[in-house]
Amino acid sequence: KTGEQKRSKEPSSSQCMHLAVVACGDRLEETLIMLKSAILFSNRRLCFHIFAEDSLKPEFEKKLKEWPSSYTKKFEYNIYPITFSVGNAQEWKKLFKPCAAQRLFLPVILKDVDSLLYVDTDVLFLRPIDDIWHILKEFNSTQLAAMAPEHEIPKIGWYSRFARHPYYGTTGVNSGVMLMNLTRIRNTQFKNSMIPSGLTWEEMLYPLYQKYKNYITWGDQDLLNIIFYFNPECLYVFPCQWNYRPDHCMYGSNCKGAEEEGVSILHGNRGVYHDDKQPTFKALYEVIRDFPFEDNLFQSLYYPLQSKFLDTVHTLCGRIPQVFLKQIEKTMKKVYENRVIVYLGANHRY
């Protein structure tokens, strides 16, 4: 045992969609709201891998047990301590935000998991995880991870203007939503800037950090950008609606995919769920947080959201409510239709 908490026997990967998150400091509530958004809409069973500081573990267990059984039967969870398998643990802990570097070690720690979706604590799902999980099937023979671009427009992107290290593509990639084929990651020899031959993922992490530590600003995300700069054939890039951040609307709408299809995954970075700078993001967070599990989705989630959005029209993000509402409305209709069909089927008599 490594101190992890198991709820029940782990089903095989084929039955389960694996979701990992790393929670430290004051991120308990944010993480729980993210997990709640995941189970509200998903169809297939979920396996949560929660990496947390020891002090948070009892709180997670207590809160998750309070959820109604109609929802707790849709998922199971493991809680793991924060551990770094190579290099100096204190250095890794201090990299960017507390414990954020833990995500780099998921292929090493979760040896029995084939594929995984990693998300930051400040992520909200506005449609079933099943839909992003299907992207794994779109990987070609060399791709082993998927992320969205850090920015859509190079001239206002952070990496294209300020980075002092190699990064992927023209604008870099954002690691807040990262789909991974862990089996492929474990079996690949990665090209790198340190030695002529390839290195495994685990062999590469600490030397890479040592080489670039004076040049990186965004911690583990920068290291991932460096890795995929040298191994671009390993990365599948998914569109911005799968990792939609304030940057996509606060200077004017610049995520075409979200305009057409709606936001699939909302990423409230910059702390926007907790201040008043981007009220549209905060509204979504609060409505999902306050939604009573067993209630009607349209009545207790969608309508409150619509009315909250009316108070955000003074912001650029608030002027495009349909971008935020399109997927969530579609998802709710599907959930409602499925329930009606199941209900009618159960009550139909010939």
Side-chain angles (χ1 to χ4, degrees), residues 115-126:
S115 294
L116 178 83
L117 177 64
Y118 164 85
V119 293
D120 284 348
T121 59
D122 53 8
V123 154
L124 292 169
F125 294 94
L126 305 187

Side-chain angles (χ1 to χ4, degrees), residues 147-155 157-163 165-174 221-237:
M147 287 185 272
E150 172 64 22
H151 220 287
E152 298 304 299
I153 304 162
K155 68 175 184 232
W158 194 91
Y159 284 106
S160 39
R161 289 183 300 158
F162 306 119
H165 58 78
Y167 57 89
Y168 179 89
T170 53
T171 58
V173 280
N174 182 283
Q221 177 172 295
D222 290 348
L223 291 178
L224 289 163
N225 267 284
I226 294 164
I227 290 168
F228 291 112
Y229 168 84
F230 290 105
N231 300 271
E233 72 287 353
C234 293
L235 191 66
Y236 178 107
V237 179

Side-chain angles (χ1 to χ4, degrees), residues 286-310:
E286 289 179 346
V287 166
I288 293 173
R289 180 194 67 196
D290 299 340
F291 172 70
F293 271 107
E294 305 284 20
D295 263 24
N296 177 295
L297 280 166
F298 274 106
Q299 200 175 317
S300 302
L301 202 150
Y302 187 72
Y303 298 136
L305 200 51
Q306 278 187 315
S307 65
K308 270 182 183 271
F309 275 6
L310 293 174

Side-chain angles (χ1 to χ4, degrees), residues 71-90:
Y71 284 92
T72 56
K73 69 184 184 192
K74 291 173 73 175
F75 72 90
E76 59 190 59
Y77 67 86
N78 297 325
I79 298 177
Y80 307 80
I82 304 293
T83 50
F84 303 101
S85 61
V86 291
N88 181 314
Q90 287 315 306

Side-chain angles (χ1 to χ4, degrees), residues 266-286:
L266 192 76
H267 183 182
N269 63 345
R270 304 173 187 267
V272 292
Y273 297 148
H274 313 292
D275 62 29
D276 295 315
K277 288 178 184 159
Q278 297 300 333
T280 320
F281 282 74
K282 191 180 183 182
L284 264 155
Y285 178 79
E286 289 179 346

